Amino acid sequence: MAVTIDEILVADPPHAWRAAGFTVDDDTCRVGTVRIRLVGRARGTGIVGWSLRGLAGGPVAPDLDGIATTSSTAPPPAPATHANGVTHLDHVVVLSPAVARTRAALEAIGLDVRREREGVLAGTPVRQLFLRLGEVILEVVGSPDDEGEGPSSLWGLTHTVADIDAAAASLGERTSPVKNAVQPGRRITTLRHRDLGMSVRTALISPHVRRG
């Protein structure tokens, strides 16, 4: 059984995500096959944990390389329709102080690194790993020297939208101008998440372009 994401726990109030054009039922936002549960500021800020299906060897305790992780057997939800045009969760970004250590932890639960690269982000050299959890890509980002200490953390979310220009127009000044993404043929905009009352770095990206 493949490892997939059941639920991502975000310490935001539901009204902030509604303001960003997401449909939220009580405290849950269904994005593709992933539930994003909005647990409020009492839990802190940002992404505070997740639950995964299909973990090799059973539940992880107490965490996964510093990320609060629980095991789930819940079936995927029915996707919701969102006013901002989001269709599914494209990728989740993990920040790691020690990429080799994080890689070992992820491989131990049954994940495989599909691609690895070294590059530069915002003028800083980085090492990136790419893994797949069902329809979602997990991107691990850290330093090439791999000598840091401390826990890894779930840092940001990028959602695929059917129409990137319409999504940006609907959000107006609450999102950045649309620009070309790193992935060839795709375009991206970054939400001004603090203006919306969100604590998670969030981007919207155009659909994947099939090669050939």
Side-chain angles (χ1 to χ4, degrees):
M1 181 178 179
V3 180
T4 59
I5 302 173
D6 170 29
E7 189 172 69
I8 295 174
L9 305 181
V10 175
D12 282 345
H15 67 78
W17 283 60
R18 292 190 181 104
F22 290 93
T23 297
V24 181
D25 301 316
D26 294 324
D27 65 352
T28 302
C29 178
R30 291 174 285 120
V31 180
T33 61
V34 176
R35 297 175 180 88
I36 298 176
R37 188 150 63 88
L38 305 170
V39 298
R41 289 287 184 264
R43 295 284 296 272
T45 58
I47 304 173
V48 296
W50 62 359
S51 63
L52 303 176
R53 306 180 192 90
L55 292 173
V60 176
D63 58 41
L64 177 63
D65 198 46
I67 300 169
T69 304
T70 57
S71 178
S72 174
T73 58
T81 299
H82 302 281
N84 56 20
V86 164
T87 58
H88 61 278
L89 184 59
D90 189 84
H91 63 274
V92 177
V93 178
V94 170
L95 292 187
S96 170
V99 175
R101 186 196 70 197
T102 303
R103 177 177 186 156
L106 294 170
E107 290 177 337
I109 65 167
L111 293 174
D112 295 317
V113 174
R114 301 289 186 91
R115 188 163 66 92
E116 181 175 351
R117 68 183 293 269
E118 293 194 5
V120 177
L121 289 177
T124 301
V126 295
R127 182 180 174 197
Q128 295 169 285
L129 307 178
F130 299 90
L131 309 92
R132 177 144 323 251
L133 295 93
E135 68 180 10
V136 182
I137 295 169
L138 185 67
E139 178 183 348
V140 179
V141 181
S143 170
D145 60 29
D146 205 37
E147 296 179 354
E149 298 181 355
S152 294
S153 61
L154 294 165
W155 182 80
L157 305 174
T158 296
H159 307 270
T160 298
V161 292
D163 187 328
I164 189 72
D165 294 303
S170 70
L171 289 163
E173 294 183 355
R174 295 171 294 179
T175 192
S176 66
V178 177
K179 64 180 182 179
N180 290 334
V182 173
Q183 302 92 329
R186 303 183 79 182
R187 300 163 69 222
I188 192 169
T189 180
T190 303
L191 298 190
R192 304 188 196 283
H193 60 282
R194 293 187 181 89
D195 294 346
L196 292 157
M198 304 168 73
S199 64
V200 176
R201 292 165 178 82
T202 303
L204 307 178
I205 194 168
S206 61
H208 178 74
V209 176
R210 294 185 179 277
R211 296 181 181 179

